[in-house]
Tab-separated table of all heavy atoms in Angstrom:
chain	number	residue	atom	x	y	z
A	1	ARG	N	118.851	109.101	102.702
A	1	ARG	CA	117.897	107.966	102.810
A	1	ARG	C	117.820	107.422	104.239
A	1	ARG	O	118.860	107.278	104.998
A	1	ARG	CB	118.335	106.823	101.783
A	1	ARG	CG	118.338	107.336	100.327
A	1	ARG	CD	118.781	106.026	99.552
A	1	ARG	NE	118.872	106.392	98.069
A	1	ARG	CZ	119.275	105.563	97.243
A	1	ARG	NH1	119.738	104.379	97.526
A	1	ARG	NH2	119.352	105.989	96.009
A	2	TYR	N	116.585	106.884	104.517
A	2	TYR	CA	116.336	106.306	105.827
A	2	TYR	C	115.610	104.979	105.401
A	2	TYR	O	114.622	104.902	104.785
A	2	TYR	CB	115.439	107.090	106.671
A	2	TYR	CG	116.076	108.465	107.146
A	2	TYR	CD1	115.721	109.451	106.297
A	2	TYR	CD2	116.746	108.634	108.260
A	2	TYR	CE1	116.432	110.777	106.594
A	2	TYR	CE2	117.305	109.837	108.599
A	2	TYR	CZ	117.178	110.961	107.788
A	2	TYR	OH	117.659	112.148	108.123
A	3	ARG	N	116.301	103.838	105.984
A	3	ARG	CA	115.843	102.565	105.645
A	3	ARG	C	115.479	101.764	106.887
A	3	ARG	O	115.903	102.152	108.039
A	3	ARG	CB	116.828	101.843	104.746
A	3	ARG	CG	117.208	102.545	103.576
A	3	ARG	CD	118.136	101.655	102.704
A	3	ARG	NE	118.566	102.259	101.473
A	3	ARG	CZ	117.960	102.074	100.297
A	3	ARG	NH1	116.756	101.362	100.333
A	3	ARG	NH2	118.388	102.679	99.201
A	4	TYR	N	114.832	100.589	106.635
A	4	TYR	CA	114.533	99.687	107.724
A	4	TYR	C	115.750	98.814	107.951
A	4	TYR	O	116.423	98.326	107.043
A	4	TYR	CB	113.465	98.751	107.413
A	4	TYR	CG	113.321	97.492	108.270
A	4	TYR	CD1	112.958	97.505	109.630
A	4	TYR	CD2	113.598	96.195	107.678
A	4	TYR	CE1	112.842	96.436	110.445
A	4	TYR	CE2	113.562	95.124	108.483
A	4	TYR	CZ	113.176	95.274	109.833
A	4	TYR	OH	113.147	94.156	110.587
A	5	ASP	N	116.173	98.607	109.233
A	5	ASP	CA	117.403	97.851	109.589
A	5	ASP	C	116.984	97.028	110.819
A	5	ASP	O	116.702	97.550	111.876
A	5	ASP	CB	118.654	98.739	109.856
A	5	ASP	CG	119.920	97.822	110.035
A	5	ASP	OD1	119.708	96.594	110.357
A	5	ASP	OD2	120.932	98.510	109.983
A	6	ARG	N	116.924	95.760	110.687
A	6	ARG	CA	116.408	94.798	111.702
A	6	ARG	C	117.425	94.806	112.863
A	6	ARG	O	117.013	94.468	114.057
A	6	ARG	CB	116.296	93.380	111.183
A	6	ARG	CG	117.444	92.710	110.813
A	6	ARG	CD	117.252	91.207	110.392
A	6	ARG	NE	116.387	91.214	109.329
A	6	ARG	CZ	115.895	90.076	108.773
A	6	ARG	NH1	116.176	88.954	109.379
A	6	ARG	NH2	115.067	90.101	107.808
A	7	GLU	N	118.620	95.159	112.782
A	7	GLU	CA	119.605	95.336	113.825
A	7	GLU	C	119.478	96.634	114.520
A	7	GLU	O	120.169	96.793	115.518
A	7	GLU	CB	120.999	95.133	113.326
A	7	GLU	CG	121.205	93.836	112.510
A	7	GLU	CD	120.866	92.614	113.411
A	7	GLU	OE1	121.294	92.712	114.645
A	7	GLU	OE2	120.499	91.489	112.854
A	8	ARG	N	118.816	97.683	113.996
A	8	ARG	CA	118.750	98.972	114.616
A	8	ARG	C	117.298	99.292	115.117
A	8	ARG	O	116.529	99.514	114.285
A	8	ARG	CB	119.187	99.960	113.541
A	8	ARG	CG	120.612	99.811	113.064
A	8	ARG	CD	121.689	100.166	114.031
A	8	ARG	NE	122.948	100.037	113.463
A	8	ARG	CZ	124.083	100.288	114.072
A	8	ARG	NH1	124.020	100.737	115.242
A	8	ARG	NH2	125.193	100.226	113.491
A	9	PRO	N	117.084	99.285	116.315
A	9	PRO	CA	115.717	99.632	116.787
A	9	PRO	C	115.208	101.024	116.513
A	9	PRO	O	114.101	101.402	116.613
A	9	PRO	CB	115.835	99.434	118.306
A	9	PRO	CG	117.209	99.524	118.695
A	9	PRO	CD	118.001	99.042	117.432
A	10	ASP	N	116.280	101.917	116.213
A	10	ASP	CA	115.875	103.403	115.904
A	10	ASP	C	115.840	103.573	114.415
A	10	ASP	O	115.846	104.777	113.887
A	10	ASP	CB	116.822	104.298	116.603
A	10	ASP	CG	118.252	104.130	116.057
A	10	ASP	OD1	118.573	103.155	115.548
A	10	ASP	OD2	119.150	105.049	116.426
A	11	SER	N	115.812	102.498	113.575
A	11	SER	CA	115.497	102.666	112.276
A	11	SER	C	113.946	102.550	111.804
A	11	SER	O	113.240	102.410	112.729
A	11	SER	CB	116.282	101.659	111.274
A	11	SER	OG	115.577	100.346	111.569
A	12	LEU	N	113.560	102.886	110.685
A	12	LEU	CA	112.189	102.810	110.345
A	12	LEU	C	111.819	101.291	110.645
A	12	LEU	O	112.503	100.422	110.524
A	12	LEU	CB	112.021	103.064	108.842
A	12	LEU	CG	111.976	104.473	108.318
A	12	LEU	CD1	111.966	104.578	106.802
A	12	LEU	CD2	110.800	105.160	108.929
A	13	SER	N	110.557	101.138	110.994
A	13	SER	CA	110.018	99.858	111.455
A	13	SER	C	109.709	99.055	110.129
A	13	SER	O	109.364	97.913	110.221
A	13	SER	CB	108.757	99.878	112.354
A	13	SER	OG	107.790	100.573	111.656
A	14	SER	N	109.776	99.629	108.966
A	14	SER	CA	109.378	98.954	107.662
A	14	SER	C	110.052	99.706	106.546
A	14	SER	O	110.246	101.021	106.608
A	14	SER	CB	107.991	98.818	107.435
A	14	SER	OG	107.715	98.391	106.113
A	15	PRO	N	110.446	99.048	105.446
A	15	PRO	CA	111.030	99.809	104.277
A	15	PRO	C	109.908	100.608	103.534
A	15	PRO	O	110.111	101.431	102.774
A	15	PRO	CB	111.601	98.772	103.424
A	15	PRO	CG	110.866	97.458	103.772
A	15	PRO	CD	110.539	97.573	105.246
A	16	THR	N	108.654	100.202	103.737
A	16	THR	CA	107.536	100.892	102.981
A	16	THR	C	106.936	101.997	103.743
A	16	THR	O	106.614	101.865	104.946
A	16	THR	CB	106.502	99.795	102.631
A	16	THR	OG1	107.052	98.760	101.906
A	16	THR	CG2	105.380	100.481	101.793
A	17	VAL	N	106.643	103.089	103.133
A	17	VAL	CA	106.140	104.247	103.752
A	17	VAL	C	104.837	104.566	102.963
A	17	VAL	O	104.785	104.950	101.759
A	17	VAL	CB	107.094	105.465	103.700
A	17	VAL	CG1	106.455	106.732	104.292
A	17	VAL	CG2	108.291	105.237	104.560
A	18	TYR	N	103.685	104.504	103.749
A	18	TYR	CA	102.419	104.882	103.128
A	18	TYR	C	101.961	106.359	103.256
A	18	TYR	O	101.394	106.912	102.420
A	18	TYR	CB	101.276	104.198	103.778
A	18	TYR	CG	101.337	102.599	103.348
A	18	TYR	CD1	100.901	101.593	104.366
A	18	TYR	CD2	101.766	102.152	102.167
A	18	TYR	CE1	100.989	100.267	103.999
A	18	TYR	CE2	101.789	100.693	101.876
A	18	TYR	CZ	101.337	99.882	102.840
A	18	TYR	OH	101.535	98.513	102.589
A	19	GLY	N	102.250	106.915	104.520
A	19	GLY	CA	101.816	108.177	104.904
A	19	GLY	C	102.902	108.933	105.545
A	19	GLY	O	103.771	108.465	106.298
A	20	LEU	N	102.742	110.311	105.470
A	20	LEU	CA	103.588	111.374	106.103
A	20	LEU	C	102.769	112.437	106.617
A	20	LEU	O	101.830	112.846	106.012
A	20	LEU	CB	104.757	111.874	105.194
A	20	LEU	CG	105.738	110.729	104.819
A	20	LEU	CD1	106.650	111.317	103.561
A	20	LEU	CD2	106.671	110.484	105.870
A	21	HIS	N	103.180	112.987	107.673
A	21	HIS	CA	102.612	114.094	108.411
A	21	HIS	C	103.423	115.036	109.233
A	21	HIS	O	104.368	114.380	109.959
A	21	HIS	CB	101.397	113.645	109.148
A	21	HIS	CG	100.591	114.863	109.890
A	21	HIS	ND1	99.959	115.802	109.180
A	21	HIS	CD2	100.645	115.121	111.213
A	21	HIS	CE1	99.403	116.724	110.054
A	21	HIS	NE2	99.853	116.316	111.325
A	22	VAL	N	103.277	116.260	109.156
A	22	VAL	CA	104.108	117.101	110.186
A	22	VAL	C	103.187	117.908	111.005
A	22	VAL	O	102.307	118.575	110.466
A	22	VAL	CB	105.040	118.174	109.283
A	22	VAL	CG1	105.749	119.116	110.213
A	22	VAL	CG2	106.062	117.443	108.424
A	23	ASP	N	103.231	117.782	112.295
A	23	ASP	CA	102.380	118.353	113.246
A	23	ASP	C	102.749	119.860	113.505
A	23	ASP	O	103.751	120.315	112.932
A	23	ASP	CB	102.132	117.405	114.498
A	23	ASP	CG	103.477	117.430	115.365
A	23	ASP	OD1	104.288	118.291	115.173
A	23	ASP	OD2	103.601	116.561	116.229
A	24	ARG	N	101.938	120.407	114.337
A	24	ARG	CA	102.187	121.851	114.706
A	24	ARG	C	103.512	122.168	115.347
A	24	ARG	O	104.109	123.193	115.188
A	24	ARG	CB	101.019	122.366	115.601
A	24	ARG	CG	99.637	122.551	114.886
A	24	ARG	CD	98.666	122.707	115.849
A	24	ARG	NE	98.881	123.928	116.837
A	24	ARG	CZ	98.422	125.102	116.441
A	24	ARG	NH1	97.715	125.388	115.353
A	24	ARG	NH2	98.555	126.108	117.290
A	25	ARG	N	104.052	121.147	116.039
A	25	ARG	CA	105.343	121.239	116.708
A	25	ARG	C	106.520	121.025	115.767
A	25	ARG	O	107.641	121.050	116.175
A	25	ARG	CB	105.319	120.441	117.963
A	25	ARG	CG	104.347	120.867	118.994
A	25	ARG	CD	104.581	119.984	120.185
A	25	ARG	NE	103.656	120.317	121.386
A	25	ARG	CZ	102.395	119.972	121.518
A	25	ARG	NH1	101.840	119.273	120.624
A	25	ARG	NH2	101.746	120.432	122.511
A	26	GLY	N	106.248	120.647	114.529
A	26	GLY	CA	107.347	120.264	113.623
A	26	GLY	C	107.728	118.816	113.578
A	26	GLY	O	108.671	118.441	112.867
A	27	ASN	N	107.055	117.970	114.365
A	27	ASN	CA	107.396	116.486	114.396
A	27	ASN	C	106.984	115.904	113.056
A	27	ASN	O	105.924	116.145	112.512
A	27	ASN	CB	106.614	115.818	115.563
A	27	ASN	CG	107.099	116.261	116.865
A	27	ASN	OD1	108.303	116.298	117.228
A	27	ASN	ND2	106.134	116.647	117.737
A	28	VAL	N	107.853	114.993	112.518
A	28	VAL	CA	107.566	114.263	111.211
A	28	VAL	C	107.011	112.903	111.685
A	28	VAL	O	107.810	112.013	112.301
A	28	VAL	CB	108.817	114.178	110.391
A	28	VAL	CG1	108.493	113.455	109.178
A	28	VAL	CG2	109.298	115.587	110.053
A	29	TRP	N	105.823	112.628	111.309
A	29	TRP	CA	105.243	111.319	111.664
A	29	TRP	C	105.261	110.524	110.336
A	29	TRP	O	104.805	110.952	109.306
A	29	TRP	CB	103.847	111.498	112.198
A	29	TRP	CG	103.747	112.250	113.484
A	29	TRP	CD1	103.579	113.547	113.703
A	29	TRP	CD2	103.907	111.584	114.774
A	29	TRP	NE1	103.680	113.800	114.998
A	29	TRP	CE2	103.891	112.632	115.752
A	29	TRP	CE3	104.081	110.280	115.231
A	29	TRP	CZ2	103.891	112.369	117.099
A	29	TRP	CZ3	104.024	110.024	116.586
A	29	TRP	CH2	104.082	111.099	117.534
A	30	VAL	N	105.620	109.188	110.543
A	30	VAL	CA	105.689	108.238	109.329
A	30	VAL	C	104.747	107.121	109.440
A	30	VAL	O	104.583	106.564	110.537
A	30	VAL	CB	107.179	107.808	109.243
A	30	VAL	CG1	107.343	106.936	107.910
A	30	VAL	CG2	108.095	108.980	109.202
A	31	GLY	N	104.100	106.783	108.379
A	31	GLY	CA	103.118	105.758	108.342
A	31	GLY	C	103.472	104.565	107.577
A	31	GLY	O	103.184	104.545	106.398
A	32	PRO	N	104.107	103.538	108.123
A	32	PRO	CA	104.450	102.261	107.418
A	32	PRO	C	103.505	101.218	107.739
A	32	PRO	O	102.516	101.503	108.550
A	32	PRO	CB	105.896	102.005	107.948
A	32	PRO	CG	105.793	102.499	109.498
A	32	PRO	CD	104.844	103.609	109.440
A	33	PRO	N	103.567	100.080	107.128
A	33	PRO	CA	102.555	99.005	107.500
A	33	PRO	C	102.834	98.307	108.819
A	33	PRO	O	102.060	97.427	109.227
A	33	PRO	CB	102.697	97.972	106.298
A	33	PRO	CG	104.125	98.255	105.798
A	33	PRO	CD	104.417	99.696	106.086
């Protein structure tokens, strides 16, 4: 699990995830609000 943590700048920026995408290079992009 990956969650939002206000004390961690490298955590998710929000607990809610609307969208996901993997590009040609294999990067995982996350769409929160």
Side-chain angles (χ1 to χ4, degrees):
R1 296 179 181 177
Y2 299 86
R3 299 180 182 275
Y4 165 70
D5 186 341
R6 66 177 62 187
E7 304 296 330
R8 303 287 188 178
D10 61 344
S11 71
L12 281 173
S13 61
S14 169
T16 303
V17 176
Y18 292 145
L20 290 168
H21 174 69
V22 176
D23 64 22
R24 289 167 57 91
R25 296 181 173 88
N27 295 308
V28 178
W29 296 91
V30 185

